[in-house]
Amino acid sequence: MSPSGTRHLSTNIIIGTEKFGGFQLSAKTACLFHRALRIDKERDARPGKMPLVSTYADLDREIRESTLTLLGETLDWEAMLDCFAMLVSALFTLYMPYLAILENSLHLSSASPASLVASSQEISTALAALRFACKMSTDISCKLNANFGSTPRSPIYLCAPAGATCYLVIQAYVAIRRIFPEESGECESNIEEKFESLRLFSFRWGIAEKMMSQLEKKLNVDRNVYLQNSQLMPPPQSMCFDFTRR
């Protein structure tokens, strides 16, 4: 196609209002992620300084609506992993600092975690967003882990950003487990799913192995505890480089 005949696909359109092309959809979710990164870079980073969620409420809404639209419109989550990963990472970028703020508040107060969350609109909004992001990412992991466990195939199409999302989700669940001990069982189960996904990604991306090692050191956890029941096995090398398998 000649330069004059090139059709530029906009990323300013809200996902769900019209049919997006594959690259356009990836570009759109990347734009949302980078807007979150820009906010994170510009907001006050002083210890204990509360970032105001109201300043990025519109971005939060667009991220969540885009996520729900993708969930409703696609049956092939594997093919959309890059989009899901960037949307989830955007929510973590916006709201992960609030977990540290909540933990710090607990050390300085005799109030229960539930009462502290209820007393702060900022923290309650952030915690709800993080729970939403964690659940969506874990649900996708459950599907991927089961699919690859039942039918080994090439991991060549597993996108790198999704591995980084697993890393963030594990960090969040470990923090939530500390803050809300009564949720330890559920958090442990979800951490297990995410470690299994990281193992799956390690068949394709060496960085996933480094992420697991870093999580073990940073969070004082043992991946082997979470992977002891995993059914995932590395596919044959010939399959790993087969670009025709899906």
Side-chain angles (χ1 to χ4, degrees), residues 9 12 19 23 40 46 85 94 103 145 150 172 239 246:
L9 300 176
N12 292 324
K19 185 69 174 178
F23 284 109
D40 185 55
R46 286 177 292 172
L94 293 176
E103 283 198 271
N145 295 344
S150 61
M239 183 183 290
R246 291 307 305 273

Side-chain angles (χ1 to χ4, degrees), residues 208-242:
E209 172 61 35
K210 294 181 180 179
M211 288 178 183
M212 287 190 283
S213 296
Q214 188 171 353
L215 285 167
E216 288 181 308
K217 294 176 183 177
K218 184 175 183 178
L219 303 177
N220 192 29
V221 296
D222 182 356
R223 79 178 83 171
N224 294 318
V225 172
Y226 296 104
L227 294 174
Q228 59 185 336
N229 297 318
S230 176
Q231 301 298 312
L232 292 176
M233 296 295 292
Q237 188 173 12
S238 59
M239 183 183 290
C240 288
F241 294 95
D242 184 353

Side-chain angles (χ1 to χ4, degrees), residues 128-149:
L130 289 171
R131 289 186 185 279
F132 172 85
C134 285
K135 184 179 188 312
M136 189 196 67
S137 181
T138 304
D139 286 348
I140 293 175
S141 279
C142 289
K143 178 177 174 58
L144 284 178
N145 295 344
N147 286 350
F148 275 82

Side-chain angles (χ1 to χ4, degrees), residues 73-86:
E73 291 185 356
T74 183
L75 297 177
D76 188 358
W77 289 4
E78 184 183 334
M80 305 300 295
L81 275 180
D82 63 326
C83 296
F84 283 121
M86 286 185 283

